[in-house]
Amino acid sequence: LAFCWDYKSLVLGRIIVGIGIGIASLTTPIYIAEVAMPKIRGQLVTVNALLVTVGQFISGMVDGIFDKYMPDSGWRYMLGLAAVPSIVMFWGFLGLPESPRWLAMQGKNEEALAVLKSIRETDEEADNELCEVKVSLPPSRQRHLTDGDVSIISDSRNYDYGIDREDEDEPNNVFDAESHERNESFFKKMLEMLMDAPTRRALVLGCGIMLLQQLSGINTVMYYAASIYEMSQFDELTSVWLAGFTALAQVVGIALSIYLVERTGRRTLVLTSLALVTCSLFGLGASFYLSRVTSQTVMQANEACSSQPAMVWNGKTSYCYDCAEISGCGFCGGTCTLGNSSGPFDTKQCEDSIDWNYEACRNPFGYLSVFFMVFYLLAFGIGMGGLTWTINSEIYPLKFRSLAGSLSTATNWIGNLIVSATFLSISSARVLTSYGAFWLYGLVAMSGMIWLSFCLPETKGLSLEEIEKLFRRERDREGYTIPTENRTLVQEFQDLTPANSVVT
């Protein structure tokens, strides 16, 4: 990107970088969740989200410096320097072990056990965890198991979340099973995942919470913070620096969530975050509405400045705020007339002693917009900022974890695209207005909070295999029976954790 020579090469570079970021955003939370101990898993995954926001803040400050001192060529240094942290991360990843769950999926149980022993406090913990992983394996991946493992798995597999349930459809030979699974098409694997009821419930929850994260407006605030402050009638330079420093609020919020996640739990933090996000979005919308209705009244207006197309209001220029929203119009002394940043075209309409307001009007409630922006980012960071990734890294069964994680990550980026591409349009005066747009995001956040209060389980302190069981229902077991002599053994591996509300 730093050495691109035209527009096409710049776009190609961005596509390549985008692919890399997409892969990293999928694999990093999953890897952390699979190697971390249950008691600190939430904290470690959330640390990843924290460092992302810290990186966003630092890059924003660096970009601002380049723009100030190297306005013509600074963008090349801005894009080129992004390679430095990438190189550091690549070097660091070379020393990381492979995921023990992935190794178990490949039948490399000795390697999986060695990795677990290196990252667990005791060998007993490593042995027990590997046994849980083996039980969760699909039949076609059950290799190199002890007699006890085989007994447990053969009795319980029909009831395990994300495991093949049709014995007659399974290959008879382990090696035939491997060949069969390698030859499976992507669409067949997708269909199998969607047909598995517990996995489908987890996928609805995971994709839903990812979509909710974006539709509650976070990236409109991150991408367009300066524009939002300009909507609040701050000048351009002030808006740029306000945008940079208010981003720190999300960093603080995610840092708080790291401290609280293993103490209060994911569910409590997410619901609390959404409640506060809803309040802050409604408050942010109200601050814009107040800045409009308390701005100076328009007594007369030039014909070109007297109205504008509008969908949810009458479009009539009633306040200075409305006048400043119309391109090529400004306000002075109760009059909205044609002009530019230098002054009105018809100087007779404005006396020299009267202030000329162009693109912005005096706003006594501007501080409210700053307050609610900071409040929003802080509230979002506490739960919705990092815990959506934490939850998605935990809830999918081993068999479908990569595919389900890919879908939820894609859902997040699609939501990001939709919101960022539509914000400037829906916040314009001709569509929903700035205050209407934030009230819409507030309604989405409130609806999401209600939905998650019924379907989001608590996963604090549970192993990944225990979390899988939260999405099972009794009706999923209909048509299957467990041999009487094996029920006690199977129950040890299938007891559900204390009742949690989960998606149905």
Side-chain angles (χ1 to χ4, degrees):
L1 286 175
F3 299 101
C4 63
W5 55 91
D6 58 14
Y7 177 74
K8 291 182 179 179
S9 62
L10 180 64
V11 171
L12 178 62
R14 284 293 294 121
I15 292 173
I16 295 172
V17 170
I19 292 172
I21 292 174
I23 294 173
S25 64
L26 162 66
T27 56
T28 303
I30 291 177
Y31 178 82
I32 295 172
E34 290 190 349
V35 301
M37 291 186 290
K39 63 183 180 182
I40 60 171
R41 184 179 59 244
Q43 290 177 319
L44 290 182
V45 177
T46 310
V47 164
N48 174 61
L50 171 66
L51 295 179
V52 169
T53 57
V54 170
Q56 288 174 332
F57 170 73
I58 294 174
S59 63
M61 295 296 101
V62 172
D63 295 349
I65 293 171
F66 278 128
D67 184 56
K68 181 176 177 62
Y69 294 103
M70 305 175 68
D72 296 327
S73 60
W75 64 274
R76 291 188 180 273
Y77 294 94
M78 175 187 74
L79 296 174
L81 281 176
V84 175
S86 300
I87 293 171
V88 172
M89 288 183 66
F90 177 79
W91 178 79
F93 278 133
L94 293 177
L96 291 177
E98 185 53 81
S99 163
R101 285 168 171 80
W102 183 85
L103 291 170
M105 279 282 287
Q106 308 308 309
K108 301 177 181 180
N109 292 324
E110 292 183 1
E111 293 180 41
L113 183 60
V115 172
L116 284 170
K117 286 182 177 180
S118 70
I119 59 179
R120 294 296 179 261
E121 294 178 346
T122 65
D123 289 351
E124 183 180 1
E125 285 184 15
D127 291 333
N128 292 338
E129 187 167 335
L130 182 59
C131 186
E132 285 187 2
V133 173
K134 289 178 181 179
V135 171
S136 71
L137 290 174
S140 57
R141 292 291 187 175
Q142 293 164 8
R143 299 184 280 173
H144 308 293
L145 305 180
T146 64
D147 292 340
D149 293 331
V150 172
S151 175
I152 292 168
I153 294 172
S154 64
D155 289 335
S156 64
R157 70 185 180 190
N158 286 339
Y159 314 98
D160 280 337
Y161 166 31
I163 293 179
D164 298 328
R165 291 178 170 79
E166 301 290 342
D167 286 352
E168 62 272 19
D169 291 338
E170 294 170 11
N172 295 322
N173 179 280
V174 168
F175 299 101
D176 290 342
E178 286 182 36
S179 176
H180 170 76
E181 205 163 284
R182 277 197 300 268
N183 293 329
E184 274 188 326
S185 69
F186 168 80
F187 295 104
K188 184 176 180 181
K189 189 80 171 179
M190 176 77 74
L191 180 61
E192 183 184 359
M193 179 179 69
L194 295 177
M195 292 298 291
D196 185 76
T199 306
R200 188 171 62 248
R201 296 184 188 108
L203 192 62
V204 169
L205 174 62
C207 291
I209 198 171
M210 283 294 203
L211 192 61
L212 178 61
Q213 183 194 54
Q214 294 299 326
L215 296 186
S216 57
I218 180 57
N219 280 318
T220 63
V221 173
M222 295 302 293
Y223 297 160
Y224 299 111
S227 298
I228 293 170
Y229 282 126
E230 287 186 45
M231 292 177 189
S232 300
Q233 312 302 303
F234 288 99
D235 63 71
E236 182 178 355
L237 182 61
T238 303
S239 297
V240 168
W241 286 107
L242 280 174
F245 284 103
T246 51
L248 281 174
Q250 189 179 10
V251 176
V252 174
I254 295 180
L256 284 174
S257 75
I258 293 173
Y259 174 78
L260 295 172
V261 64
E262 299 299 349
R263 291 171 171 80
T264 63
R266 288 86 158 131
R267 175 183 166 87
T268 301
L269 282 181
V270 167
L271 295 179
T272 300
S273 173
L274 281 172
L276 295 176
V277 162
T278 299
C279 294
S280 60
L281 286 170
F282 284 139
L284 188 56
S287 71
F288 284 115
Y289 182 75
L290 285 173
S291 68
R292 174 180 181 252
V293 298
T294 59
S295 61
Q296 293 172 280
T297 303
V298 173
M299 307 302 295
Q300 59 179 342
N302 182 283
E303 182 178 355
C305 302
S306 61
S307 64
Q308 57 187 309
M311 188 172 75
V312 297
W313 61 296
N314 60 20
K316 183 180 178 181
T317 304
S318 302
Y319 303 99
C320 176
Y321 185 98
D322 303 331
C323 181
E325 289 279 305
I326 303 174
S327 179
C329 295
F331 177 87
C332 61
T335 300
C336 183
T337 186
L338 293 171
N340 55 30
S341 58
S342 300
F345 295 149
D346 185 356
T347 56
K348 294 180 180 179
Q349 294 188 350
C350 295
E351 299 178 6
D352 293 339
S353 59
I354 298 178
D355 290 335
W356 171 246
N357 298 279
Y358 186 77
E359 294 185 341
C361 300
R362 289 190 298 273
N363 178 18
F365 294 97
Y367 69 92
L368 275 181
S369 299
V370 176
F371 171 78
F372 283 115
M373 281 275 283
V374 173
F375 184 34
Y376 170 81
L377 290 171
L378 181 64
F380 194 91
I382 288 174
M384 290 298 291
L387 294 185
T388 53
W389 297 96
T390 302
I391 291 167
N392 268 276
S393 69
E394 296 175 332
I395 62 177
Y396 302 122
L398 184 58
K399 180 179 181 181
F400 300 117
R401 188 165 293 152
S402 295
L403 180 56
S406 299
L407 287 176
S408 63
T409 301
T411 301
N412 184 280
W413 286 107
I414 290 171
N416 185 341
L417 174 64
I418 292 172
V419 172
S420 59
T422 59
F423 172 69
L424 292 180
S425 297
I426 68 172
S427 62
S428 66
R430 69 172 56 240
V431 185
L432 292 182
T433 72
S434 54
Y435 45 90
F438 286 108
W439 286 341
L440 174 63
Y441 296 143
L443 287 173
V444 171
M446 184 171 65
S447 300
M449 178 184 65
I450 295 171
W451 171 60
L452 288 176
S453 68
F454 289 101
C455 72
L456 180 62
E458 181 54 72
T459 59
K460 179 182 72 170
L462 302 180
S463 70
L464 296 179
E465 288 66 39
E466 289 171 328
I467 293 172
E468 293 176 12
K469 299 173 186 178
L470 296 174
F471 293 88
R472 291 195 212 129
R473 298 292 181 277
E474 287 298 324
R475 62 179 178 272
D476 297 333
R477 303 182 182 184
E478 291 177 1
Y480 304 101
T481 57
I482 303 175
T484 303
E485 63 271 22
N486 292 325
R487 285 178 182 170
T488 302
L489 182 59
V490 172
Q491 188 65 37
E492 293 178 4
F493 284 87
Q494 295 200 320
D495 281 339
L496 299 180
T497 54
N500 284 283
S501 299
V502 293
V503 67
T504 58

